[in-house]
């Protein structure tokens, strides 16, 4: 995997995504960084492994960070995820009070941030993270393409 | 609590909501009924108790039903919930392949089914449950009103 900086949280998200693929899960990885800049958790999809339809990387990371901080609000925490979050995860990110959301690749088929219901733009959304996108998008897209290519093959 | 039929799953959802209120949680309750018509699980909000921002009644019920059935897809299962699901829960309901969604009261402030991003109407939604609403809505609304009235008081 070619990325610029091994200490980049998005690079860690890519590693978590790669590990998910090795478990047969769709390669998505998420990392939460605390207000002090330290990585709290890195998680990949575990839907099949846990037999849990909610076990997306973002949800596992949010739950683990909340457990680790002993608080259901992740105030000042940032989430780095390899793919645009779906509606479920966008909702969870808002409920968790994530400060900054960074996602790599956009997801026209299932995304809920810049596609679909665009949750953060809705009046029913009561906490909006700052959103940035595109960093390492090519790495994430290539990983997803090769995962689905191998499954079809 | 006045409802017509104690074996009605929505009545059980109201009981789970009432128990949540007694724990200091916003009173929302959810029940999942299996394809054979039996109740698999009844859950209420546990956000504060579990320190988990994703611990909405619907998410806990979906996770518990998937665990109980040993399958991440709840094909043929129905969800009865006392309040219109938020964006996160609507996404989870779709991902879990819930067949029928019944909710009691609508939620103009935070709902994601008939309010906000209306997830099931989006092209990014790949499984749409049949949705019915309104049964026991007055019971749910009254419970929520009295919960928030007590908190303000």
């Amino acid at each position: 995997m070619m990325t610029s900086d091994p200490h980049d949280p998005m690079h860690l998200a890519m590693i978590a995504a790669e590990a998910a693929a090795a478990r047969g899960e769709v390669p998505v990885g998420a990392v939460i960084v605390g207000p002090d800049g330290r990585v709290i958790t890195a998680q990949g999809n575990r839907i099949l492994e846990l037999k849990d339809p909610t076990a997306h990387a973002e949800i596992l990371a949010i739950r683990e960070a909340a457990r680790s901080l002993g608080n259901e609000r992740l105030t000042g925490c940032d989430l780095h995820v390899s793919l645009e979050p779906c509606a479920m995860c966008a909702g969870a990110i808002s409920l968790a009070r994530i400060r900054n959301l960074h996602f790599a690749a956009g997801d026209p088929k299932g995304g809920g941030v810049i596609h679909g219901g665009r949750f953060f733009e809705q009046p029913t959304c009561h906490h909006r993270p700052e959103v940035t996108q595109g960093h390492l998008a090519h790495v994430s897209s290539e990983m997803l393409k090769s995962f689905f290519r191998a499954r079809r093959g």
Side-chain angles (χ1 to χ4, degrees), chain A:
Chain A
M1 195 187 308
M2 286 187 49
T3 66
S4 44
D5 173 9
H7 300 290
D8 173 6
M10 192 62 90
H11 177 88
L12 297 178
M14 297 300 161
I15 291 171
E18 212 167 33
R23 296 189 300 267
E25 307 270 358
V26 174
V28 181
V31 166
I32 291 180
V33 175
D36 61 359
R38 293 192 195 197
V39 169
I40 298 174
T41 182
Q43 299 284 336
N45 278 1
R46 291 186 187 271
I47 297 140
L48 304 174
E49 177 192 345
L50 301 178
K51 298 191 198 307
D52 177 355
T54 74
H56 283 193
E58 301 95 312
I59 299 288
L60 296 177
I62 286 170
R63 295 182 65 219
E64 175 60 25
R67 196 160 35 222
S68 160
L69 298 174
N71 197 320
E72 75 279 4
R73 297 196 173 186
L74 304 179
T75 310
C77 292
D78 299 337
L79 178 70
H80 302 253
V81 55
S82 61
L83 187 67
E84 179 188 349
C86 73
M88 172 181 72
C89 293
I93 286 164
S94 173
L95 290 167
R97 308 294 198 277
I98 291 286
R99 180 177 56 182
N100 296 304
L101 164 65
H102 306 277
F103 67 83
D107 183 6
K109 282 187 193 161
V113 176
I114 58 167
H115 295 99
R118 292 175 171 75
F119 179 57
F120 302 138
E121 297 173 22
Q122 299 297 336
T124 48
C125 174
H126 306 297
H127 169 87
R128 292 166 180 77
E130 287 294 312
V131 179
T132 63
Q133 59 177 291
H135 178 49
L136 302 187
H138 61 291
V139 178
S140 175
S141 298
E142 197 40 62
M143 215 180 328
L144 286 157
K145 266 183 223 158
S146 93
F147 178 79
F148 286 112
R149 207 161 36 218
R151 289 226 297 198
R152 277 194 307 270

Coordinates of all heavy atoms in Angstrom, one line a residue, chain A residues 2-72:
Chain A
M2 N 0.6 2.2 -0.9 CA 1.5 3.3 -1.0 C 0.8 4.6 -0.5 O -0.1 5.1 -1.1 CB 1.9 3.6 -2.5 CG 3.0 2.5 -2.9 SD 3.7 2.9 -4.5 CE 4.1 4.6 -4.4
T3 N 1.2 5.0 0.7 CA 0.7 6.2 1.3 C 1.9 7.0 1.7 O 3.0 6.5 1.9 CB -0.2 6.0 2.4 OG1 0.5 5.4 3.5 CG2 -1.4 5.1 2.1
S4 N 1.7 8.3 2.0 CA 2.9 9.2 2.3 C 3.5 9.0 3.7 O 4.7 9.1 3.9 CB 2.5 10.6 2.0 OG 1.2 10.9 2.5
D5 N 2.6 8.8 4.7 CA 3.1 8.9 6.1 C 2.5 7.8 6.9 O 1.2 7.8 7.1 CB 2.6 10.3 6.6 CG 2.9 10.5 8.1 OD1 3.6 9.6 8.7 OD2 2.4 11.5 8.6
P6 N 3.3 7.0 7.4 CA 2.8 5.8 8.2 C 2.1 6.3 9.5 O 1.4 5.5 10.2 CB 4.0 5.0 8.5 CG 5.1 5.9 8.3 CD 4.7 6.9 7.3
H7 N 2.3 7.5 10.0 CA 1.7 8.0 11.2 C 0.4 8.7 10.9 O -0.3 9.2 11.8 CB 2.6 8.9 12.0 CG 3.9 8.2 12.4 ND1 3.9 7.2 13.3 CD2 5.1 8.3 11.9 CE1 5.1 6.8 13.5 NE2 5.9 7.4 12.6
D8 N 0.0 8.9 9.6 CA -1.2 9.5 9.2 C -2.4 8.6 9.6 O -2.4 7.4 9.3 CB -1.1 9.6 7.7 CG -2.4 10.0 7.0 OD1 -3.4 10.4 7.7 OD2 -2.5 10.1 5.8
P9 N -3.4 9.1 10.4 CA -4.5 8.2 10.8 C -5.2 7.6 9.6 O -5.7 6.5 9.7 CB -5.4 9.2 11.5 CG -4.5 10.3 12.0 CD -3.5 10.5 10.9
M10 N -5.3 8.3 8.5 CA -5.9 7.7 7.3 C -5.1 6.5 6.8 O -5.7 5.5 6.3 CB -6.1 8.7 6.2 CG -7.1 8.2 5.1 SD -8.8 7.9 5.7 CE -9.5 9.6 5.4
H11 N -3.8 6.5 7.0 CA -3.0 5.4 6.6 C -3.4 4.2 7.5 O -3.5 3.0 7.1 CB -1.5 5.7 6.7 CG -0.6 4.6 6.5 ND1 -0.2 4.2 5.2 CD2 -0.1 3.6 7.3 CE1 0.6 3.2 5.3 NE2 0.7 2.8 6.5
L12 N -3.6 4.4 8.8 CA -4.0 3.4 9.7 C -5.4 2.9 9.3 O -5.7 1.7 9.5 CB -4.0 3.9 11.2 CG -2.7 4.4 11.7 CD1 -2.9 4.9 13.2 CD2 -1.7 3.2 11.8
A13 N -6.3 3.7 8.9 CA -7.6 3.3 8.4 C -7.5 2.4 7.3 O -8.2 1.4 7.2 CB -8.5 4.5 8.1
M14 N -6.5 2.6 6.4 CA -6.3 1.8 5.2 C -5.8 0.4 5.6 O -6.2 -0.6 5.1 CB -5.3 2.4 4.2 CG -5.8 3.7 3.6 SD -7.3 3.6 2.7 CE -7.8 5.3 2.6
I15 N -4.9 0.4 6.6 CA -4.4 -0.9 7.2 C -5.6 -1.7 7.8 O -5.7 -2.9 7.6 CB -3.3 -0.6 8.2 CG1 -2.1 -0.1 7.4 CG2 -2.9 -1.9 8.9 CD1 -1.0 0.4 8.4
A16 N -6.5 -1.0 8.5 CA -7.6 -1.7 9.1 C -8.6 -2.2 8.0 O -9.2 -3.3 8.2 CB -8.4 -0.7 10.1
A17 N -8.7 -1.5 7.0 CA -9.5 -1.9 5.8 C -8.9 -3.1 5.2 O -9.6 -4.1 4.8 CB -9.6 -0.8 4.8
E18 N -7.6 -3.1 5.0 CA -6.9 -4.2 4.4 C -7.1 -5.5 5.2 O -7.3 -6.6 4.7 CB -5.4 -3.9 4.3 CG -4.7 -4.5 3.1 CD -3.4 -3.9 2.9 OE1 -2.7 -3.5 3.9 OE2 -2.9 -3.8 1.7
A19 N -7.0 -5.3 6.5 CA -7.2 -6.5 7.4 C -8.7 -7.0 7.4 O -8.9 -8.2 7.5 CB -6.9 -6.0 8.9
A20 N -9.6 -6.1 7.2 CA -11.0 -6.5 7.0 C -11.1 -7.4 5.8 O -11.8 -8.5 5.8 CB -11.9 -5.3 6.9
A21 N -10.5 -7.0 4.7 CA -10.6 -7.7 3.4 C -10.0 -9.1 3.6 O -10.6 -10.1 3.1 CB -9.8 -7.0 2.3
A22 N -9.0 -9.2 4.4 CA -8.3 -10.5 4.7 C -9.3 -11.4 5.5 O -9.2 -12.6 5.4 CB -7.0 -10.3 5.4
R23 N -10.2 -10.8 6.2 CA -11.2 -11.6 6.9 C -12.5 -11.9 6.1 O -13.5 -12.4 6.5 CB -11.7 -10.9 8.2 CG -10.6 -10.6 9.2 CD -11.2 -10.1 10.5 NE -11.9 -8.8 10.4 CZ -11.3 -7.6 10.6 NH1 -10.0 -7.5 10.9 NH2 -12.0 -6.5 10.4
G24 N -12.4 -11.4 4.8 CA -13.6 -11.6 3.9 C -14.6 -10.6 4.0 O -15.7 -10.7 3.4
E25 N -14.3 -9.5 4.7 CA -15.3 -8.4 4.9 C -15.0 -7.3 3.9 O -13.8 -7.1 3.5 CB -15.1 -7.8 6.3 CG -15.2 -8.7 7.5 CD -16.6 -8.9 8.0 OE1 -17.5 -8.3 7.5 OE2 -16.8 -9.8 8.9
V26 N -16.0 -6.5 3.5 CA -15.8 -5.4 2.6 C -14.7 -4.5 3.3 O -14.8 -4.1 4.5 CB -17.1 -4.6 2.4 CG1 -16.8 -3.3 1.6 CG2 -18.1 -5.5 1.7
P27 N -13.7 -4.1 2.5 CA -12.5 -3.4 3.1 C -12.9 -1.9 3.4 O -12.7 -1.1 2.6 CB -11.4 -3.5 2.1 CG -12.1 -3.8 0.8 CD -13.4 -4.5 1.1
V28 N -13.3 -1.7 4.6 CA -13.5 -0.3 5.1 C -12.8 -0.3 6.5 O -13.0 -1.2 7.3 CB -15.0 0.0 5.3 CG1 -15.1 1.5 5.8 CG2 -15.7 -0.1 3.9
G29 N -12.1 0.7 6.8 CA -11.4 0.9 8.0 C -11.6 2.3 8.6 O -11.8 3.3 7.8
A30 N -11.7 2.4 9.9 CA -12.0 3.7 10.6 C -11.0 3.8 11.8 O -10.8 2.9 12.5 CB -13.4 3.7 11.0
V31 N -10.6 5.1 12.0 CA -9.7 5.4 13.1 C -10.2 6.6 13.8 O -10.7 7.5 13.2 CB -8.3 5.7 12.6 CG1 -7.4 6.4 13.6 CG2 -7.6 4.4 12.1
I32 N -10.2 6.5 15.2 CA -10.6 7.7 16.0 C -9.4 8.2 16.7 O -8.7 7.5 17.3 CB -11.8 7.4 16.9 CG1 -13.1 7.1 16.1 CG2 -12.0 8.6 17.9 CD1 -14.3 6.8 16.9
V33 N -9.2 9.6 16.5 CA -8.1 10.3 17.2 C -8.7 11.2 18.3 O -9.7 11.9 18.0 CB -7.4 11.1 16.1 CG1 -6.3 11.9 16.8 CG2 -6.8 10.2 15.1
G34 N -8.2 11.1 19.4 CA -8.7 11.9 20.6 C -8.3 13.4 20.5 O -7.5 13.7 19.6
P35 N -8.8 14.2 21.4 CA -8.5 15.6 21.4 C -7.0 15.9 21.6 O -6.5 16.9 21.1 CB -9.3 16.1 22.6 CG -10.3 15.1 22.9 CD -9.8 13.8 22.4
D36 N -6.3 14.9 22.2 CA -4.8 15.1 22.4 C -4.0 14.6 21.2 O -2.8 14.6 21.2 CB -4.4 14.4 23.6 CG -4.6 12.9 23.5 OD1 -5.2 12.4 22.5 OD2 -4.3 12.1 24.5
G37 N -4.7 14.2 20.1 CA -4.0 13.8 18.9 C -3.6 12.3 18.9 O -3.0 11.9 17.9
R38 N -3.9 11.6 19.9 CA -3.5 10.2 19.9 C -4.6 9.3 19.4 O -5.8 9.6 19.6 CB -3.2 9.7 21.4 CG -2.0 10.4 21.9 CD -1.6 9.7 23.2 NE -0.6 10.6 23.9 CZ 0.2 10.2 24.9 NH1 0.1 9.0 25.3 NH2 1.0 11.1 25.5
V39 N -4.2 8.3 18.7 CA -5.1 7.3 18.1 C -5.8 6.5 19.3 O -5.1 5.9 20.1 CB -4.4 6.3 17.2 CG1 -5.4 5.2 16.8 CG2 -4.0 7.1 15.9
I40 N -7.1 6.5 19.4 CA -7.8 5.8 20.4 C -8.2 4.4 19.9 O -8.0 3.4 20.6 CB -9.2 6.5 20.8 CG1 -8.8 7.9 21.4 CG2 -10.0 5.7 21.8 CD1 -10.1 8.7 21.6
T41 N -8.6 4.2 18.7 CA -8.9 2.9 18.1 C -8.9 2.9 16.6 O -9.1 3.9 16.0 CB -10.3 2.5 18.6 OG1 -10.7 1.2 18.1 CG2 -11.4 3.5 18.1
A42 N -8.6 1.7 16.1 CA -8.6 1.5 14.6 C -9.4 0.2 14.4 O -9.2 -0.8 15.1 CB -7.2 1.3 14.1
Q43 N -10.5 0.3 13.6 CA -11.4 -0.8 13.4 C -11.7 -1.0 12.0 O -11.7 -0.1 11.2 CB -12.7 -0.5 14.2 CG -12.6 -0.3 15.7 CD -12.4 -1.6 16.4 OE1 -12.8 -2.7 16.0 NE2 -11.8 -1.5 17.6
G44 N -12.0 -2.3 11.6 CA -12.4 -2.6 10.3 C -13.8 -3.2 10.3 O -14.2 -3.6 11.4
N45 N -14.5 -3.4 9.2 CA -15.8 -4.1 9.2 C -15.7 -5.5 9.8 O -14.7 -6.2 9.6 CB -16.2 -4.2 7.7 CG -16.9 -3.0 7.2 OD1 -17.0 -2.0 7.8 ND2 -17.3 -3.0 5.9
R46 N -16.7 -5.8 10.6 CA -16.8 -7.2 11.1 C -18.2 -7.7 11.1 O -18.6 -8.4 12.0 CB -16.2 -7.2 12.6 CG -14.8 -7.0 12.7 CD -14.3 -7.1 14.2 NE -12.9 -6.7 14.3 CZ -11.8 -7.5 14.1 NH1 -12.0 -8.8 13.8 NH2 -10.6 -7.1 14.2
I47 N -18.9 -7.4 10.0 CA -20.3 -7.8 9.9 C -20.5 -9.3 9.9 O -21.3 -9.8 10.7 CB -20.9 -7.1 8.6 CG1 -20.8 -5.6 8.7 CG2 -22.3 -7.6 8.3 CD1 -20.4 -4.9 7.4
L48 N -19.7 -9.9 9.1 CA -19.9 -11.4 9.0 C -19.3 -12.1 10.2 O -19.9 -13.0 10.7 CB -19.1 -11.9 7.7 CG -19.6 -11.2 6.4 CD1 -18.7 -11.6 5.2 CD2 -21.1 -11.5 6.1
E49 N -18.2 -11.6 10.6 CA -17.5 -12.3 11.8 C -18.4 -12.2 13.1 O -18.6 -13.2 13.8 CB -16.2 -11.6 12.1 CG -15.5 -12.1 13.3 CD -14.3 -11.2 13.7 OE1 -13.9 -10.4 12.9 OE2 -13.8 -11.4 14.9
L50 N -19.0 -11.0 13.3 CA -19.8 -10.8 14.5 C -21.3 -11.2 14.3 O -22.1 -11.1 15.2 CB -19.6 -9.4 15.0 CG -18.2 -8.9 15.4 CD1 -18.3 -7.5 15.9 CD2 -17.6 -9.8 16.5
K51 N -21.6 -11.5 13.0 CA -23.0 -11.6 12.6 C -23.8 -10.5 13.2 O -24.8 -10.7 13.9 CB -23.6 -13.0 13.2 CG -22.8 -14.2 12.6 CD -23.6 -15.5 12.9 CE -22.7 -16.7 12.8 NZ -22.0 -16.8 11.5
D52 N -23.4 -9.3 12.8 CA -24.0 -8.0 13.3 C -24.1 -7.0 12.2 O -23.0 -6.5 11.7 CB -23.1 -7.5 14.5 CG -23.7 -6.2 15.0 OD1 -24.6 -5.6 14.4 OD2 -23.1 -5.7 16.0
P53 N -25.3 -6.8 11.7 CA -25.4 -5.9 10.5 C -25.0 -4.5 10.8 O -24.8 -3.7 9.9 CB -26.9 -5.9 10.2 CG -27.6 -6.3 11.5 CD -26.6 -7.2 12.2
T54 N -24.8 -4.1 12.1 CA -24.4 -2.8 12.4 C -22.9 -2.7 12.6 O -22.4 -1.6 12.9 CB -25.1 -2.3 13.7 OG1 -24.5 -2.9 14.9 CG2 -26.6 -2.5 13.7
A55 N -22.2 -3.8 12.4 CA -20.7 -3.8 12.7 C -19.9 -3.2 11.6 O -18.9 -3.8 11.1 CB -20.3 -5.2 13.1
H56 N -20.2 -2.0 11.2 CA -19.4 -1.2 10.2 C -18.2 -0.7 11.0 O -18.3 -0.5 12.2 CB -20.2 -0.1 9.6 CG -21.2 -0.5 8.5 ND1 -21.8 0.4 7.7 CD2 -21.6 -1.7 8.1 CE1 -22.6 -0.2 6.8 NE2 -22.5 -1.5 7.1
A57 N -17.1 -0.5 10.3 CA -15.9 0.0 10.9 C -16.2 1.3 11.8 O -15.7 1.4 12.9 CB -14.9 0.4 9.8
E58 N -17.0 2.2 11.3 CA -17.2 3.5 12.0 C -17.9 3.2 13.3 O -17.7 3.8 14.4 CB -18.1 4.4 11.2 CG -17.5 4.8 9.9 CD -18.0 4.0 8.7 OE1 -18.0 2.7 8.8 OE2 -18.4 4.5 7.7
I59 N -19.0 2.3 13.3 CA -19.7 2.0 14.5 C -18.9 1.3 15.5 O -18.9 1.7 16.7 CB -20.9 1.1 14.1 CG1 -21.9 1.8 13.1 CG2 -21.7 0.6 15.4 CD1 -22.7 2.9 13.7
L60 N -18.1 0.4 15.1 CA -17.2 -0.3 16.0 C -16.2 0.7 16.6 O -15.9 0.6 17.8 CB -16.4 -1.5 15.3 CG -17.3 -2.6 14.8 CD1 -16.5 -3.6 14.0 CD2 -18.1 -3.3 15.9
A61 N -15.7 1.6 15.8 CA -14.7 2.6 16.3 C -15.4 3.5 17.3 O -14.8 3.8 18.4 CB -14.1 3.3 15.2
I62 N -16.6 4.0 17.0 CA -17.3 4.9 17.9 C -17.6 4.2 19.2 O -17.4 4.7 20.3 CB -18.6 5.4 17.2 CG1 -18.2 6.4 16.2 CG2 -19.5 6.0 18.3 CD1 -19.4 6.8 15.3
R63 N -18.1 2.9 19.2 CA -18.4 2.2 20.4 C -17.1 2.0 21.2 O -17.2 2.1 22.5 CB -19.1 0.9 20.1 CG -20.5 1.1 19.4 CD -21.2 -0.2 19.1 NE -21.5 -0.9 20.3 CZ -21.5 -2.2 20.5 NH1 -21.0 -3.0 19.5 NH2 -21.8 -2.7 21.6
E64 N -16.1 1.6 20.6 CA -14.8 1.3 21.3 C -14.2 2.6 21.9 O -13.8 2.6 23.1 CB -13.8 0.7 20.3 CG -12.4 0.5 20.9 CD -12.4 -0.5 22.1 OE1 -13.4 -1.3 22.3 OE2 -11.5 -0.3 23.0
A65 N -14.3 3.7 21.2 CA -13.8 5.0 21.7 C -14.6 5.5 22.9 O -14.1 5.9 23.9 CB -13.8 6.1 20.6
A66 N -16.0 5.3 22.8 CA -16.8 5.7 23.9 C -16.6 4.9 25.2 O -16.5 5.4 26.3 CB -18.3 5.6 23.5
R67 N -16.3 3.6 24.9 CA -16.0 2.7 26.0 C -14.7 3.1 26.7 O -14.6 3.2 27.9 CB -15.9 1.2 25.5 CG -16.0 0.2 26.5 CD -16.4 -1.2 25.9 NE -15.8 -1.4 24.5 CZ -16.6 -1.9 23.5 NH1 -17.8 -2.2 23.7 NH2 -16.0 -2.0 22.3
S68 N -13.7 3.4 25.8 CA -12.4 3.7 26.3 C -12.4 5.0 27.0 O -11.7 5.2 28.0 CB -11.5 3.7 25.0 OG -10.3 4.5 25.3
L69 N -13.2 6.0 26.6 CA -13.2 7.3 27.2 C -14.2 7.4 28.4 O -14.2 8.3 29.1 CB -13.5 8.4 26.2 CG -12.5 8.6 25.1 CD1 -13.0 9.6 24.1 CD2 -11.1 9.0 25.6
G70 N -15.1 6.3 28.5 CA -16.1 6.3 29.5 C -17.1 7.4 29.3 O -17.7 7.9 30.3
N71 N -17.4 7.7 28.1 CA -18.3 8.8 27.8 C -19.0 8.5 26.5 O -18.4 8.2 25.5 CB -17.6 10.1 27.7 CG -18.5 11.3 27.8 OD1 -19.6 11.4 27.3 ND2 -18.0 12.3 28.6
E72 N -20.4 8.7 26.4 CA -21.1 8.5 25.2 C -20.9 9.6 24.2 O -21.4 9.5 23.1 CB -22.6 8.2 25.5 CG -23.4 9.4 25.8 CD -23.3 9.8 27.3 OE1 -22.5 9.2 28.0 OE2 -24.0 10.8 27.7

